[in-house]
Each structure stands twice: as C-alpha cells, then as structure tokens.
C-alpha cells in the first residue's frame, strides 16, 4: 500500500522531507526568520520546476501560536506580540518577488488590515502589538530581513 499524495502551493516546513538535489538547486531558506520562510521556499522551488506535496493521512501535531481566530472568510493565528513584527514584515517582503503566487498576495492584501485591527484593538498587549506591527511594516517597506526581536521585551 502506498499513501496518497496531494499537490499544494505551499506547506509548513515542520516534518518536511526535501530531496538533497532539490535543496541544492533551490537553495537555503530566505533570511526571513520565523514566519513565511517555509512558504517562500516552496514558491521558489515551484519556480524552479519542483512540486510540493503533502500526505493527508500523516498527521504531525504542531501548534501555531496561542490559538486561532476564525472569521467567515479567514483564519488568523494569535501570536506573541514580537511575532507580529515578523508576520507583517515578511508578508510585505513577499510582494517584491514574482514567484510568490498572486492569489497569496491578494489574500494577504485583504487580510493584513483586518489582522492589524484585531491585534491592536481586540487582543492583549495592545501597545506592544502596535509597536511590533508598525516596526514590521516599516522594515518590510525598507526591505529589512533577518532576526530583529526574540522576545516581548
């Protein structure tokens, strides 16, 4: 018996199996730190002709953030405030790349303002979240990447 595979646009890197040849051709992950780097690698791989698959029958327990908020048209992970920096910055950095799917860019263009409002007005640590989000937006526009913040301090 073999397990069914399903082709997808992107997936989280946790539990990924990548052939050495593909890794060498696509290259290391982008210097995004924390968020979106695994999706970005899948999109770069696709641009070079590789295909990303999942095996739906295999489950890997992995918790994203502190929970989820599900609206009728989107789902949002609740993260520590410092992670908001990477989420907003890295998404904005993705707009610079032609290999990032247009559908992802449009979806995030619509969801980012909603995520901003939810983070700043409805979640805890409002001022910390505002600080990290605005810093992430500024650095995303400037093209800054890499690690900047490691905790809420």
């Amino acid at each position: 018996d073999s397990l069914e595979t399903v082709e997808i646009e992107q997936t989280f890197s946790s539990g990924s199996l990548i052939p050495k040849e593909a890794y060498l051709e696509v290259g290391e992950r982008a210097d995004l730190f924390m968020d979106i780097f695994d999706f970005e690698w899948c999109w770069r791989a696709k641009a070079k002709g590789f295909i990303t698959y999942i095996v739906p029958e295999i489950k890997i327990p992995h918790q994203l953030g502190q929970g989820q908020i599900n609206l009728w048209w989107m789902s949002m992970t609740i993260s520590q405030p410092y992670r908001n920096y990477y989420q907003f910055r890295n998404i904005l950095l993705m707009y610079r790349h032609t290999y990032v799917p247009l559908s992802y860019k449009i979806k995030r263009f619509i969801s980012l303002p909603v995520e901003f409002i939810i983070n700043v007005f409805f979640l805890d640590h409002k001022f910390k979240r505002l600080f990290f989000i605005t810093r992430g937006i500024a650095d995303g526009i400037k093209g800054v990447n890499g690690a900047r913040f490691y905790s809420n301090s």
Side-chain angles (χ1 to χ4, degrees), residues 6-65:
V6 177
E7 184 178 336
I8 56 172
E9 287 280 325
Q10 71 270 334
T11 189
F12 298 108
S13 60
S14 303
S16 292
L17 300 173
I18 301 171
K20 182 179 178 181
E21 297 77 23
Y23 182 80
L24 292 173
E25 187 172 335
V26 175
E28 294 185 12
R29 67 182 177 96
D31 192 17
L32 295 174
F33 194 76
M34 279 204 193
D35 289 283
I36 317 296
F37 71 86
D38 35 15
F39 287 12
E40 187 276 341
W41 195 92
C42 292
W43 297 326
R44 254 188 310 127
K46 184 174 184 175
K48 292 185 179 271
F50 293 97
I51 300 171
T52 300
Y53 296 97
I54 60 168
V55 180
E57 292 84 14
I58 297 177
K59 306 291 184 206
I60 299 174
H62 183 72
Q63 181 177 340
L64 295 175

Side-chain angles (χ1 to χ4, degrees), residues 25-139:
E25 187 172 335
V26 175
E28 294 185 12
R29 67 182 177 96
D31 192 17
L32 295 174
F33 194 76
M34 279 204 193
D35 289 283
I36 317 296
F37 71 86
D38 35 15
F39 287 12
E40 187 276 341
W41 195 92
C42 292
W43 297 326
R44 254 188 310 127
K46 184 174 184 175
K48 292 185 179 271
F50 293 97
I51 300 171
T52 300
Y53 296 97
I54 60 168
V55 180
E57 292 84 14
I58 297 177
K59 306 291 184 206
I60 299 174
H62 183 72
Q63 181 177 340
L64 295 175
Q66 301 168 304
Q68 292 280 122
I69 293 177
N70 294 306
L71 303 174
W72 64 94
W73 56 280
M74 68 173 266
S75 178
M76 182 184 120
T77 300
I78 301 170
S79 302
Q80 291 289 329
Y82 77 97
R83 298 272 316 246
N84 293 142
Y85 169 82
Y86 297 107
Q87 291 161 347
F88 279 76
R89 182 199 69 182
N90 293 353
I91 288 166
L92 292 176
L93 290 174
M94 290 298 94
Y95 282 90
R96 298 169 178 259
H97 302 293
T98 57
Y99 56 81
V100 175
L102 180 61
S103 61
Y104 181 83
K105 291 177 179 180
I106 292 169
K107 176 184 172 188
R108 298 313 306 221
F109 182 80
I110 294 167
S111 68
L112 274 181
V114 175
E115 291 179 34
F116 177 88
I117 290 167
I118 291 171
N119 273 290
V120 173
F121 294 105
F122 297 103
L123 298 180
D124 61 352
H125 307 294
K126 292 166 180 30
F127 291 110
K128 278 187 180 181
R129 291 181 189 282
L130 180 62
F131 169 79
F132 286 116
I133 291 170
T134 55
R135 190 75 178 268
I137 291 170
D139 284 353

